[in-house]
Amino acid sequence: MKTIKIAGVSEHFNLPWHLCLENGEFEEAGIDLQWTDVPEGTGKMCQMLRNGETDIAVILSEGIVKDITAGNPSKIVQIYVESPLIWGIHMDAKSKYQTLSDLENTKVAISRMGSGSHLMAIVNAQNEGWNTTNLQFEIVNTIDGAVEALSNGKADYFMWEKFMTKPLVDNGTFRRVADCPTPWPCFVIAVRNEMLEKYPQTITLILEIINATTAEFKDIPSINRTLAERYNQKTEDINQWLSQTKWSQKNITSETLNKIQNQLFELSLIDKKVLLQKSCIAFSILPFLCK
């Protein structure tokens, strides 16, 4: 049995992985898939891939593209969630600020540099016509850290997935003032190059198992109630989230990669462009998955 380490955020998007693990599907295929929840998000997972702390990461597209461009020895083997991520823009419920425009030139809480919350804060600033060089950042690591930073005034707003932060809006901790969807598919599956070279068939089998589940995920009986219970959500919110979310079983295209890279370059988040088709996509390792 091969041991493979995988990391992802503890969010509703990743329930298909946990269902497969709980049902013993990877074990039946001879794979000891060891899942690690990473509340710090994409920036931390990029570091884990680099350090060999994880072999696979279910990770935000813009974050892993940025890090591969900076030398992360990993490749994207497929898109995991095709639909955009809806980033909610939150402030403390008692904040003196009232609207999104009020937040220009204030401090944004981020999980860490290079994380989705960092990159999307810059994308949002560009969307609003703000001077992105004026952005100030407070590193908070987790959602709990953001709650503390916003409540004590160390930061003024925080961007995170809209539905995962909805309970904090409902209980009066946060006030959400706007949404900012990603202009590309939100989650991809990235694998360290070493694992792709050593165990291509195992990686392929893992993808086949998870893809079979995501293809039918919305049809699982009472899946909305299961999601609501596991992730402390209201069923009506989960229903809305399910209607907006589309999982994928296909590889990312070079056009999408270039779109992400071009925007990162425009925002000075990367200092060079690379030939992403060769450096990002595992065409040579898994050609049958990259149609």
Side-chain angles (χ1 to χ4, degrees), residues 15-29:
L15 182 58
W17 290 99
H18 295 291
L19 294 181
C20 289
L21 286 164
E22 290 163 15
N23 294 337
E25 295 179 46
F26 297 110
E27 189 175 354
E28 286 178 11

Side-chain angles (χ1 to χ4, degrees), residues 42-43 45-47 49-50 57 59-78 114 119 188-193 196 251-252 257 260-261 264 269-282:
T42 289
M45 284 188 279
C46 287
Q47 178 186 334
L49 286 167
R50 284 176 176 265
I59 194 164
L60 290 176
S61 306
E62 61 272 18
I64 189 59
V65 169
K66 178 181 182 296
D67 212 50
I68 288 174
T69 303
N72 189 315
S74 303
K75 287 186 173 65
I76 296 168
V77 293
Q78 73 163 69
L119 303 183
V188 296
I189 301 171
V191 182
R192 288 195 302 119
N193 292 342
L196 286 169
N251 207 322
I252 194 166
L257 284 169
I260 296 170
Q261 183 178 222
L264 294 174
L269 290 166
I270 56 176
D271 56 13
K272 63 181 179 180
K273 298 180 185 180
V274 298
L275 185 58
L276 289 182
Q277 183 167 319
K278 290 185 178 180
S279 63
C280 269
I281 313 178

Side-chain angles (χ1 to χ4, degrees), residues 2-6 31-34 55-56 195 202 206:
K2 289 188 176 67
T3 298
I4 303 289
K5 296 174 289 185
I6 183 170
I31 302 167
D32 177 19
L33 191 68
Q34 299 182 352
D55 303 313
I56 304 174
M195 301 305 292
T202 302
I206 290 170

